[in-house]
Amino acid sequence: MTELTSGEVLHDVRLQVNGTWYETRVPARRLLSDALRHELGLTGTHVGCEHGVCGACTVLVDGAPMRSCLMFAVQAQGHEITTVEGLAARPGVTEVRGGYELGPVQQAFMECHGLQCGFCTPGFLTTVTAFLEDHPDPTPEEAREAISGNLCRCTGYQNIVKSVCRAAEIMRERGGTR
Ligand code: FES
Ligand code: FES
């Protein structure tokens, strides 16, 4: 723990993100979204509204989707965090494009044009990844309900729903591999 001249206290935190341990020092009020982006350099997590409405900042905490703008970094200690950077698929079962190995949800969004500007996309990808764990064969209606907490300013929802169903198909083709 360190105290700045401003009187603000910095706390040592150890975070497990995408299977890697990071050590950093943050004020108690540092949001997890800001710590991921600014302390850890994981800028794939986007910040839109910063008050829990848009879903752009969604990450997985122990596999469950969470708004990282509504959580403090110090609260994330002891939990496994997965960001959009951690959704790339495992070697040997993925398509390689431009040097990146795409996970099924990423590949489906690419195939179905599930994004336009891409600002909302990290939040959709993490949300959909968690959803498909519990719903491996969703109907379009279920897919629509699953993404109802995420906002897309480009209003590309039709293709996002198609992407969710296509991602489920790809996961089944790959034998359930994420
Ligand atoms: S930035 Fe977190 S919900 Fe919008
Ligand atoms: S693709 Fe632009 S905000 Fe969703």
Side-chain angles (χ1 to χ4, degrees):
M1 216 164 72
T2 310
E3 189 167 340
L4 300 177
T5 47
S6 61
E8 188 156 45
V9 172
L10 297 181
H11 300 266
D12 293 318
V13 289
R14 204 160 173 263
L15 300 175
Q16 192 184 5
V17 186
N18 304 327
T20 299
W21 285 100
Y22 295 84
E23 288 180 17
T24 187
R25 189 168 285 186
V26 291
R29 64 193 169 89
R30 172 74 90 230
L31 299 174
L32 177 58
S33 50
D34 288 338
L36 289 169
R37 291 179 55 82
H38 302 301
E39 268 76 34
L40 309 190
L42 296 170
T43 53
T45 297
H46 289 172
V47 174
C49 67
E50 287 191 279
H51 62 276
V53 173
C54 73
C57 67
T58 305
V59 299
L60 303 181
V61 178
D62 299 328
M66 298 280 285
R67 310 295 211 212
S68 61
C69 74
L70 293 185
M71 195 171 164
F72 295 120
V74 292
Q75 293 175 296
Q77 291 202 96
H79 298 282
E80 274 183 38
I81 311 296
T82 305
T83 65
V84 68
E85 289 93 342
L87 298 185
R90 295 174 193 139
V93 290
T94 61
E95 182 182 348
V96 177
R97 284 179 79 93
Y100 293 99
E101 295 175 339
L102 300 179
V105 183
Q106 294 169 318
Q107 188 177 327
F109 271 67
M110 181 194 72
E111 285 180 15
C112 301
H113 306 288
L115 62 144
Q116 293 180 52
C117 79
F119 189 86
C120 67
T121 309
F124 275 97
L125 295 177
T126 47
T127 301
V128 171
T129 296
F131 168 69
L132 292 176
E133 290 286 327
D134 297 329
H135 303 83
D137 191 12
T139 62
E141 289 68 32
E142 288 169 335
R144 199 165 285 118
E145 174 70 24
I147 60 163
S148 60
N150 290 66
L151 301 181
C152 174
R153 295 175 301 185
C154 302
T155 65
Y157 296 108
Q158 297 299 337
N159 285 351
I160 293 173
V161 169
K162 279 185 204 156
S163 303
V164 176
C165 295
R166 174 66 186 134
E169 241 175 50
I170 295 171
M171 287 174 85
R172 289 196 298 275
E173 285 165 12
R174 292 183 187 179
T177 307
R178 233 202 314 170

